[in-house]
C-alpha cells in the first residue's frame, strides 16, 4: 500500500512541477500593472471580486466585504467573477450589480467586454494559478488588492500578511475599501432559513435525545469525502457508543443515493435524514438546530462559523491550511488526519482514530452543557 501511495505522490509531484513552470512563464508575461496611479479608497467606484474557483467557504466570507460596502460605500458598483455555486449563495445574501460567469474556456471572449472597466480587482487568496494571473491581467484594473503582494508584482494594495484566516482577510479588505476601522457587521451574512428550521422542528419534535448532532460526509474532491463503507462504519460505531445522540444527516446535492443507502443499511431511529432535498437553507437549519456538527473541512465549517455554532472539523495535517480555514464557531474542535508518509501524499478525510472523535465530542459537550 505504501508503494502505491508513493507512486501516486511522485505523479502529483510531476504535475505540481508542471503547474509551477506554467505559472512562472505566465507571470513573465502578465505579472505587471499598466496603471501607476496611487491608490485612494475615495476614488474607487467599480470593483470586481475574483471568486472563479467557486469555493463556497470563500464565498461565505466574501459576504462580509460585499454587505459592508453596501452599507458604507453604496456608491461602489460590485461585479463578481464566479460560477453558479457562488452566484447561488450571493443572490441569497446580498445584491450584486453584475456577475461574470466564467468557465474554463473562451476566457478572452467572455472577459473582453470588461477590460479596463474596474478600479480595483479583489482577490484575497494565496496567489494565482497560470490561468488566474492571465485573467487578472486581462481585466486590467487600475489597482489590485490581494494577500500575496510579496509574490506577485500585479498586487499594489496589500492585505496585512498577519491576517492568516480568510475571515480576517475579508475584514481587512473591507476596511481598506471603506476607510473604516469599525464596521457595522463583522459576521458573514447567511440566507434566511426560518422555513427550513420550522420544518426541522416538526420532524424531530417527538424525538427525545440528549444531544442533536449534524453530520456531513462530503467535502470538495475525493480526498475530503467519506466512502459509503467508511460512513457506515463510523455511524455504526457512533450509534452503538452514544445511543443518547440523534444524528441528523445534512442533505447534499448529488448524494441522495449515498445517504439513502446509508440510512437503509443502518436502519436506526437515531439516524435521521430529514429530507433528501438539498439546499443551503436546510444545511443552515440543521447546523443551527444541532448541539454541534461533524464535518470535513468544507463549506459546512464556514456556515457554522457564520452562525457561531460549534463543529468538529476534520482537517489535513497541514497547519497553514488549518490557520486559513479553521472553524470560528464557539467551542469548535478539530480532528487532524494522519500525517502524510511523504511529500504530495494525499490523505483521505476518514484517516483518523476514533479516540480523536471521542475526545473532541466530549470537549464540545462539556463546553456547551
Amino acid at each position: 500500500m505504501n508503494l502505491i501511495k508513493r507512486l501516486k505522490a511522485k505523479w502529483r509531484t510531476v504535475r505540481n512541477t508542471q503547474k509551477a513552470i506554467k505559472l512562472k512563464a505566465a507571470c513573465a508575461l502578465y505579472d505587471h500593472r499598466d496603471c501607476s496611479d496611487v491608490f485612494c479608497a475615495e476614488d474607487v467606484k467599480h470593483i470586481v471580486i475574483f471568486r472563479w474557483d467557486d469555493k463556497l467557504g470563500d464565498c461565505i466570507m466574501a459576504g462580509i466585504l460585499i454587505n459592508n460596502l453596501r452599507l458604507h460605500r453604496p456608491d461602489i458598483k460590485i461585479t463578481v467573477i464566479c460560477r453558479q455555486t457562488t452566484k447561488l449563495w450571493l443572490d441569497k445574501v446580498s445584491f450584486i450589480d453584475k456577475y461574470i460567469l466564467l468557465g474554463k474556456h473562451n476566457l478572452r471572449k467572455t472577459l473582453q467586454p470588461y477590460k479596463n472597466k474596474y478600479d480595483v480587482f479583489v482577490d484575497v487568496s494565496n496567489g494565482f494559478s497560470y490561468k488566474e494571473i492571465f485573467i487578472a491581467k486581462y481585466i486590467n484594473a487600475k489597482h489590485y488588492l490581494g494577500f500575496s503582494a510579496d509574490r506577485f508584482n500585479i498586487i499594489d494594495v496589500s492585505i496585512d500578511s498577519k491576517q492568516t484566516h480568510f475571515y480576517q482577510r475579508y475584514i481587512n479588505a473591507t476596511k481598506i475599501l471603506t476607510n473604516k476601522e469599525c464596521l457595522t457587521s463583522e459576521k458573514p451574512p447567511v440566507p434566511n432559513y426560518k422555513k427550513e428550521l420550522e420544518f426541522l422542528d416538526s420532524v424531530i419534535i417527538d424525538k427525545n435525545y440528549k444531544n442533536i448532532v449534524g453530520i456531513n460526509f462530503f467535502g470538495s474532491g475525493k480526498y475530503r469525502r467519506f466512502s459509503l463503507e467508511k460512513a457506515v462504519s463510523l455511524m455504526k460505531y457512533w450509534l452503538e457508543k452514544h445511543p443518547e445522540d440523534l444524528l441528523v444527516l445534512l442533505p447534499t446535492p448529488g448524494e441522495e443515493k449515498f445517504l439513502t443507502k446509508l440510512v437503509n443499511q443502518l436502519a436506526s431511529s437515531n439516524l435521521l435524514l430529514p429530507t433528501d432535498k438539498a439546499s443551503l437553507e436546510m444545511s443552515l437549519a440543521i447546523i443551527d438546530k444541532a448541539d454541534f456538527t461533524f464535518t470535513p473541512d468544507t463549506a459546512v465549517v464556514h456556515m457554522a462559523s457564520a452562525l457561531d455554532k460549534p463543529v468538529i472539523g476534520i482537517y489535513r495535517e497541514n497547519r497553514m491550511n488549518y490557520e486559513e480555514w479553521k472553524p470560528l464557531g464557539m467551542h469548535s474542535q478539530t480532528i487532524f488526519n494522519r500525517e502524510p508518509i511523504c511529500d504530495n501524499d494525499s490523505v483521505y478525510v476518514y484517516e483518523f482514530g476514533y479516540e480523536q472523535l471521542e475526545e473532541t465530542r466530549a470537549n464540545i459537550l462539556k463546553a456547551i452543557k
Side-chain angles (χ1 to χ4, degrees):
M1 181 62 72
N2 281 355
L3 177 60
I4 294 174
K5 285 183 176 292
R6 290 181 186 278
L7 289 173
K8 288 182 177 179
K10 286 184 180 296
W11 173 237
R12 281 190 289 271
T13 300
V14 171
R15 287 188 301 173
N16 290 339
T17 300
Q18 290 174 338
K19 290 178 181 178
I21 293 171
K22 289 180 179 179
L23 177 58
K24 185 176 181 180
C27 284
L29 292 172
Y30 306 121
D31 188 19
H32 60 87
R33 295 174 56 240
D34 293 336
C35 178
S36 59
D37 292 356
V38 176
F39 175 77
C40 177
E42 287 79 6
D43 294 337
V44 176
K45 300 300 178 184
H46 295 84
I47 71 167
V48 56
I49 300 172
F50 190 50
R51 289 288 356 107
W52 187 43
D53 59 12
D54 215 27
K55 292 181 179 178
L56 186 54
D58 199 333
C59 172
I60 291 170
M61 295 302 165
I64 300 170
L65 169 62
I66 293 165
N67 277 17
N68 273 289
L69 286 177
R70 291 301 179 208
L71 288 168
H72 301 294
R73 289 295 308 275
D75 57 310
I76 293 180
K77 302 295 184 183
I78 301 172
T79 297
V80 180
I81 295 176
C82 64
R83 300 181 196 175
Q84 286 296 340
T85 300
T86 295
K87 183 179 186 298
L88 178 64
W89 178 273
L90 291 181
D91 276 343
K92 294 174 183 290
V93 301
S94 192
F95 170 74
I96 305 300
D97 294 285
K98 186 180 290 294
Y99 289 102
I100 303 174
L101 297 177
L102 192 63
K104 295 183 179 181
H105 307 291
N106 299 320
L107 299 180
R108 290 177 186 270
K109 182 178 179 180
T110 305
L111 292 172
Q112 200 281 329
Y114 307 103
K115 286 186 68 172
N116 307 310
K117 300 291 187 182
Y118 298 102
D119 298 310
V120 183
F121 182 101
V122 181
D123 178 19
V124 306
S125 65
N126 291 331
F128 299 103
S129 69
Y130 61 93
K131 282 189 178 180
E132 290 167 346
I133 190 68
F134 163 75
I135 293 168
K137 176 57 183 165
Y138 195 80
I139 288 290
N140 203 31
K142 293 179 181 177
H143 302 282
Y144 289 79
L145 191 162
F147 182 72
S148 306
D150 59 330
R151 294 175 52 213
F152 293 92
N153 299 321
I154 200 170
I155 297 173
D156 64 312
V157 186
S158 182
I159 292 171
D160 185 351
S161 61
K162 295 178 182 178
Q163 310 303 322
T164 306
H165 199 285
F166 274 67
Y167 165 82
Q168 297 169 327
R169 297 183 195 182
Y170 276 112
I171 291 287
N172 194 211
T174 304
K175 291 178 177 179
I176 290 170
L177 289 171
T178 61
N179 264 340
K180 288 184 177 291
E181 280 302 312
C182 296
L183 302 176
T184 304
S185 174
E186 295 192 359
K187 291 188 67 176
V190 299
N192 185 312
Y193 56 93
K194 182 180 179 181
K195 182 175 67 174
E196 286 75 17
L197 192 57
E198 290 173 351
F199 170 77
L200 191 60
D201 284 338
S202 71
V203 171
I204 67 176
I205 192 169
D206 295 326
K207 295 184 180 295
N208 187 22
Y209 296 97
K210 189 175 180 181
N211 310 302
I212 299 175
V213 184
I215 302 288
N216 173 52
F217 290 114
F218 310 106
S220 61
K222 66 179 181 179
Y223 293 104
R224 289 194 189 182
R225 55 173 289 140
F226 281 75
S227 65
L228 179 61
E229 177 188 2
K230 295 297 182 180
V232 168
S233 177
L234 175 61
M235 290 295 92
K236 187 176 293 186
Y237 168 83
W238 198 318
L239 292 166
E240 291 176 357
K241 184 76 173 179
H242 301 291
E244 70 274 27
D245 289 354
L246 173 64
L247 307 182
V248 183
L249 300 170
L250 274 70
T252 303
E255 302 297 346
E256 294 85 358
K257 289 183 180 180
F258 181 111
L259 294 172
T260 301
K261 284 183 180 179
L262 177 69
V263 171
N264 290 341
Q265 282 193 38
L266 293 169
S268 170
S269 60
N270 291 54
L271 184 64
L272 173 66
L273 179 61
T275 174
D276 61 0
K277 186 177 180 181
S279 70
L280 299 170
E281 291 85 353
M282 180 54 71
S283 293
L284 288 162
I286 294 172
I287 294 165
D288 194 3
K289 184 69 176 178
D291 292 290
F292 67 90
T293 299
F294 173 88
T295 178
D297 167 25
T298 192
V300 171
V301 171
H302 314 303
M303 290 182 187
S305 294
L307 298 175
D308 198 22
K309 295 288 290 186
V311 298
I312 296 176
I314 313 170
Y315 285 76
R316 293 172 296 168
E317 187 57 67
N318 179 331
R319 297 298 164 143
M320 179 178 293
N321 175 75
Y322 174 70
E323 290 301 325
E324 292 169 350
W325 290 112
K326 63 186 177 183
L328 302 176
M330 189 178 296
H331 308 310
S332 291
Q333 298 284 315
T334 301
I335 291 174
F336 286 104
N337 292 133
R338 68 161 177 84
E339 293 188 12
I341 61 174
C342 60
D343 291 342
N344 292 305
D345 173 25
S346 291
V347 181
Y348 284 97
V349 68
Y350 47 74
E351 295 188 68
F352 63 87
Y354 285 174
E355 69 278 1
Q356 295 171 273
L357 171 60
E358 293 302 321
E359 181 181 359
T360 53
R361 177 186 174 279
N363 287 341
I364 281 184
L365 292 177
K366 182 179 178 180
I368 66 178
K369 298 299 185 182

